[in-house]
Amino acid sequence: MSSATAVRRLNLLTRTIGTGTRIGSMKHRVTVIGSGNWGSAIAKIVAENTKANPDVFHEEVKMFVHSGPQNLTSIINCIHENPKYLPGITLPTNLFATPSLPDAVSEASVLIFNVPHQFVSSICRQINGSCLPYARAISCIKGVDVSPDGISLFSDTIGRKLGIYCGALSGANIASEVAAEKFSETTVAYAPPEGSTHDFPQGLTPVPEELPAVDHVLFRTLFHRPYFHVRVVSDVAGVSLGGALKNIVALAAGFVDGLEWGDNAKAAVMRVGLLEMRKFGKMFFSQSCRSATFTEESCGVADLITSCNGGRNHKCAMLSVRTGKSIETVESEELNGQKLQGTITAREVNVYLKNKGLEDEFPLFTAVYRILNGETKVESLPQLIETD
Amino acid sequence: MSSATAVRRLNLLTRTIGTGTRIGSMKHRVTVIGSGNWGSAIAKIVAENTKANPDVFHEEVKMFVHSGPQNLTSIINCIHENPKYLPGITLPTNLFATPSLPDAVSEASVLIFNVPHQFVSSICRQINGSCLPYARAISCIKGVDVSPDGISLFSDTIGRKLGIYCGALSGANIASEVAAEKFSETTVAYAPPEGSTHDFPQGLTPVPEELPAVDHVLFRTLFHRPYFHVRVVSDVAGVSLGGALKNIVALAAGFVDGLEWGDNAKAAVMRVGLLEMRKFGKMFFSQSCRSATFTEESCGVADLITSCNGGRNHKCAMLSVRTGKSIETVESEELNGQKLQGTITAREVNVYLKNKGLEDEFPLFTAVYRILNGETKVESLPQLIETD
């Protein structure tokens, strides 16, 4: 953080706390950044809960909308629906869309990030300096950023760029089903550091004592609904990794379904994949990752099951095997310009593992990469994942 | 064991070891008891492996066939196929069917039990006194025997009735797919007691030193195939429980699919169910049950996935909700006289839990029972399994 930024923040903090008027009755203000289908669905949940818990939260929830030419913001505020990304779902009247990022974040003590991952950096640049120094954030952005040198969690990127702490939310959550209030579960991870750390050399700015504590209970209150069950854990890395690595396994499951090898084979590939996901977390995030996050939580085993049953990675991999077309061809034919996350992740993870000389430690991940690359056939999968 | 039985066994043992001719070149003889579709599929695998490992096993494998009027035994031995229970699958020529239980077991040092569970007791009665005292067994019989007073594993029943040790085999194994050599995995559990125990007051009769040791390596050699991957563990209770309790969860998954609640809800119910399965194992088999058996092995998470995707429990529960018919009606319409294992297990487990005052500790198991019983509606499932 630059010194100018620091001064600006300190002023903001003094003003906010000093007058006692901006925070008002010392409740949390919540803002959702992003208004795609998952962003809108999460904003709906959060606004339902701020209304239901007036002791803890201001009722009003703001939602930042990246407005296109049609002025989606006004439409959302007028008809209480997001016709572009979540048509047919009535949004709570205490949810207010805004096209201004500074307006969205300036008073919020809780920020929920739910934007496409390629926009994270630019949004953080626009926010930096506007948000409260003691704000806390949750990233609902699926996946992780893998480069040959390392893996970064979007929650860490957000936290570092804004100088605030950011946790994560991930689970077996197909947005349209959640929005329709069909039952599902999710996992929230939140574990702010105590004392000074690499990202917070002066320590994290404390949440004012006049506000309700920002802890596991608060986040459960904010996200839990009768149709959306929340478990809050401390393993941010595990929750984030689950959402990324499951897509590699979903490709493998799709390949097997493409061959019509049946339910036994698919379950076997999913089991092996689940254990490789966990091993990856333990190997590269040994400080934080808990085994149980993968095998017990919604963000692990349940999200994997959902993705291998009906996700787009599974579908394209299956069609690729059935038709003999490359997965890129299937992707362009089926996804209307959107990109498969699984193929990107499989390649990124492979570069990372290859760099570390650890391809053999992850036979399923490596096999999926090689199948995508045309280096091996799907039929070799059992042999490739056979261990002694 | 009666003293007459003991004398008969001692004579048999003396004769066998003393002459050195019955055991021949000191290799294991393997017999499969049962010739249904799963029995025949396992017999095929075992015979392939005895042939591939002539240092350890006699090539010939016997399979006990409960012959009906058509003399299935002769047909199997003539055409190397089981046209009644596994049509279209060629069986190895070193697999010999026999209609005589004493003939099947008298020389076998390894016995594989694969019969419908209602025949276990009567078969053990017929075998008792004929089998080698140092024989070791593996039960491939799915499930456990639950009564209001306790839970017994079929492996324990077999072991106790025959005075030999019996392990278990279970996994995501639809028999027809395994027989067609489609890829799958399984879990074998084997952990003979050391020293004397309740079941073996004199200790277990040792396997003669002239025979290869009967251990995890031997059972992997006997069952592992390129298309049938085996992991051998020590948790016999966990392996056995997984195969029983997953059927309760499959009913819940079927209910949810019947309501068309989508993939999130189904994955959520499966996750909750998996954890209740594990809790049940830890609570009632605390000495032996390992958590990992449920969340990591084929007999746990993978078998659960298979059963919730396409098993008959899932199907009948789904149809029951869709049509509004009772599950008994659907069962009789769909299953051609066969019985649903899940409904029986759900009721047995509920009686057991109720007896112990522990219904609330297992909200999903209890909810499934109450739904089956008409005491509650499927729509209440999220609320019933909601925990703080």
Side-chain angles (χ1 to χ4, degrees):
Chain A
M1 201 189 323
S2 71
S3 61
T5 311
V7 169
R8 210 160 56 234
R9 284 203 181 183
L10 195 59
N11 288 340
L12 184 63
L13 180 62
T14 314
R15 195 174 77 233
T16 312
I17 306 292
T19 66
T21 54
R22 299 292 296 275
I23 295 289
S25 50
M26 296 290 106
K27 304 172 187 179
H28 287 287
R29 284 190 191 276
V30 184
T31 282
V32 177
I33 297 163
S35 57
N37 66 339
W38 186 217
S40 302
I42 279 288
K44 171 177 174 290
I45 286 172
V46 163
E48 287 167 1
N49 277 331
T50 57
K51 185 162 190 169
N53 295 279
D55 294 348
V56 188
F57 298 109
H58 283 278
E59 192 175 314
E60 178 186 294
V61 170
K62 287 186 178 170
M63 174 169 75
F64 166 68
V65 178
H66 187 270
S67 249
Q70 285 185 31
N71 202 352
L72 186 57
T73 315
S74 310
I75 297 171
I76 292 173
N77 287 335
C78 180
I79 66 170
H80 302 296
E81 185 184 322
N82 183 340
K84 188 163 178 192
Y85 295 114
L86 202 60
I89 301 293
T90 301
L91 300 173
T93 52
N94 58 320
L95 179 67
F96 295 91
T98 169
S100 156
L101 265 176
D103 172 49
V105 305
S106 65
E107 294 185 305
S109 50
V110 178
L111 298 167
I112 320 288
F113 285 84
N114 208 331
V115 294
H117 60 87
Q118 62 270 29
F119 300 138
V120 169
S121 289
S122 105
I123 282 182
C124 286
R125 261 198 312 277
Q126 295 173 67
I127 289 176
N128 198 5
S130 305
C131 68
L132 296 172
Y134 58 80
R136 298 290 185 264
I138 295 288
S139 160
C140 303
I141 301 157
K142 280 264 178 182
V144 293
D145 213 4
V146 191
S147 73
D149 305 322
I151 300 155
S152 44
L153 313 179
F154 290 118
S155 52
D156 282 350
T157 308
I158 292 167
R160 207 169 43 244
K161 285 183 187 282
L162 300 181
I164 63 175
Y165 177 76
C166 183
L169 179 153
S170 184
N173 300 141
I174 297 165
S176 56
E177 294 182 7
V178 174
E181 303 190 5
K182 291 184 173 179
F183 171 54
S184 71
E185 295 184 315
T186 204
T187 317
V188 173
Y190 185 77
E194 293 179 12
S196 63
T197 65
H198 174 72
D199 286 338
F200 304 102
Q202 314 297 323
L204 203 54
T205 306
V207 175
E209 285 184 3
E210 294 78 2
L211 277 169
V214 183
D215 54 13
H216 286 195
V217 174
L218 185 96
F219 282 118
R220 189 176 185 279
T221 308
L222 185 58
F223 290 112
H224 191 88
R225 296 294 299 155
Y227 60 86
F228 189 66
H229 290 191
V230 171
R231 279 169 54 90
V232 190
V233 302
S234 297
D235 177 9
V236 180
V239 169
S240 306
L241 281 172
L245 299 176
K246 58 147 198 187
N247 289 325
I248 307 180
V249 186
L251 290 172
F255 291 147
V256 165
D257 275 346
L259 287 178
E260 298 185 358
W261 273 6
D263 287 335
N264 295 346
K266 184 172 175 177
V269 163
M270 289 167 70
R271 187 196 72 84
V272 171
L274 180 63
L275 297 189
E276 287 195 17
M277 288 165 59
R278 185 178 70 169
K279 183 176 183 178
F280 193 94
K282 284 170 86 171
M283 198 174 268
F284 304 119
F285 290 85
S286 57
Q287 294 299 308
S288 62
C289 241
R290 282 186 66 237
S291 295
T293 306
F294 297 94
T295 50
E296 296 177 15
E297 302 298 342
S298 178
C299 62
V301 61
D303 195 14
L304 177 70
I305 289 171
T306 304
S307 304
C308 291
N309 268 352
R312 59 175 66 163
N313 291 289
H314 172 266
K315 183 184 175 189
C316 288
M318 182 175 67
L319 289 175
S320 163
V321 171
R322 273 200 197 148
T323 61
K325 295 175 185 172
S326 78
I327 199 152
E328 288 78 14
T329 307
V330 175
E331 186 180 17
S332 65
E333 287 174 0
E334 294 287 325
L335 294 188
N336 203 15
Q338 289 190 287
K339 287 286 167 198
L340 274 187
Q341 205 55 47
T343 53
I344 298 169
T345 307
R347 292 200 167 97
E348 287 174 351
V349 163
N350 182 263
V351 172
Y352 180 76
L353 291 176
K354 208 178 265 161
N355 255 18
K356 295 196 169 282
L358 290 169
E359 276 184 294
D360 292 349
E361 293 283 320
F362 297 87
L364 184 75
F365 291 175
T366 303
V368 169
Y369 166 76
R370 290 184 182 164
I371 290 167
L372 289 173
N373 234 21
E375 292 171 36
T376 191
K377 288 182 171 243
V378 179
E379 286 80 357
S380 309
L381 252 184
Q383 181 191 334
L384 293 171
I385 63 175
E386 183 169 359
T387 49
D388 272 314
Chain B
M1 195 183 338
S2 70
S3 62
T5 311
V7 168
R8 209 159 58 233
R9 286 206 181 182
L10 195 61
N11 288 340
L12 184 61
L13 180 63
T14 314
R15 193 173 77 234
T16 311
I17 307 290
T19 66
T21 53
R22 300 294 293 276
I23 296 290
S25 47
M26 295 293 105
K27 304 173 188 179
H28 287 287
R29 284 189 192 275
V30 184
T31 283
V32 178
I33 297 163
S35 56
N37 65 341
W38 187 217
S40 302
I42 279 288
K44 171 177 173 290
I45 285 172
V46 162
E48 286 167 0
N49 277 330
T50 58
K51 184 163 190 169
N53 294 279
D55 293 350
V56 187
F57 299 108
H58 283 278
E59 192 175 314
E60 178 184 294
V61 170
K62 286 186 179 170
M63 174 169 75
F64 167 69
V65 178
H66 187 270
S67 250
Q70 284 186 31
N71 203 351
L72 186 56
T73 316
S74 309
I75 296 170
I76 292 173
N77 287 334
C78 180
I79 66 170
H80 302 295
E81 186 184 321
N82 183 339
K84 189 164 179 192
Y85 295 113
L86 203 59
I89 301 292
T90 302
L91 299 173
T93 51
N94 57 320
L95 178 67
F96 294 92
T98 168
S100 155
L101 265 176
D103 172 48
V105 305
S106 64
E107 293 185 305
S109 49
V110 177
L111 298 168
I112 321 289
F113 284 85
N114 210 331
V115 294
H117 60 86
Q118 62 270 30
F119 300 138
V120 169
S121 289
S122 103
I123 282 183
C124 286
R125 262 198 310 277
Q126 295 173 66
I127 289 176
N128 198 3
S130 303
C131 67
L132 296 172
Y134 58 81
R136 298 291 185 263
I138 295 289
S139 160
C140 304
I141 301 156
K142 280 261 179 185
V144 293
D145 213 4
V146 191
S147 73
D149 306 320
I151 301 155
S152 45
L153 313 178
F154 289 118
S155 52
D156 282 350
T157 308
I158 292 167
R160 208 170 42 247
K161 286 184 186 277
L162 300 182
I164 63 174
Y165 177 76
C166 184
L169 179 152
S170 184
N173 300 142
I174 298 166
S176 56
E177 294 182 6
V178 174
E181 303 190 5
K182 291 182 174 182
F183 172 53
S184 71
E185 294 184 316
T186 204
T187 317
V188 173
Y190 185 76
E194 291 179 14
S196 63
T197 65
H198 175 71
D199 286 338
F200 303 103
Q202 315 298 323
L204 203 56
T205 307
V207 175
E209 286 184 3
E210 293 79 2
L211 277 170
V214 183
D215 55 13
H216 286 195
V217 173
L218 185 95
F219 282 118
R220 189 176 185 279
T221 307
L222 185 58
F223 289 112
H224 192 87
R225 297 293 299 156
Y227 60 87
F228 190 66
H229 290 189
V230 171
R231 280 169 54 90
V232 190
V233 301
S234 296
D235 177 7
V236 180
V239 169
S240 305
L241 281 171
L245 300 175
K246 57 144 199 192
N247 289 325
I248 307 180
V249 187
L251 290 172
F255 291 146
V256 166
D257 275 345
L259 288 178
E260 298 186 0
W261 273 4
D263 287 336
N264 295 347
K266 183 172 176 177
V269 163
M270 289 166 70
R271 188 196 73 83
V272 172
L274 180 63
L275 297 189
E276 286 194 17
M277 288 165 60
R278 186 179 69 170
K279 184 175 182 178
F280 193 94
K282 284 169 87 170
M283 197 174 270
F284 304 119
F285 290 86
S286 57
Q287 294 299 309
S288 62
C289 240
R290 283 186 67 235
S291 296
T293 306
F294 297 94
T295 50
E296 297 178 14
E297 302 298 343
S298 177
C299 61
V301 61
D303 196 15
L304 177 70
I305 290 170
T306 305
S307 304
C308 291
N309 269 352
R312 59 173 67 163
N313 291 288
H314 171 267
K315 184 184 174 190
C316 288
M318 181 174 70
L319 289 175
S320 163
V321 171
R322 275 201 194 145
T323 61
K325 295 177 185 171
S326 77
I327 199 153
E328 288 77 14
T329 308
V330 175
E331 186 180 18
S332 65
E333 288 174 359
E334 294 287 326
L335 295 188
N336 203 15
Q338 290 190 285
K339 287 287 165 197
L340 274 187
Q341 204 54 47
T343 53
I344 298 170
T345 307
R347 295 202 165 97
E348 287 174 349
V349 164
N350 183 263
V351 173
Y352 181 75
L353 291 176
K354 208 178 265 160
N355 254 18
K356 294 194 169 283
L358 289 170
E359 275 184 295
D360 292 349
E361 294 282 321
F362 297 87
L364 184 75
F365 291 174
T366 302
V368 169
Y369 166 76
R370 290 183 182 164
I371 291 167
L372 289 173
N373 235 22
E375 292 171 37
T376 191
K377 288 182 173 246
V378 179
E379 286 80 357
S380 310
L381 250 185
Q383 182 192 333
L384 294 170
I385 64 174
E386 184 169 1
T387 49
D388 273 312

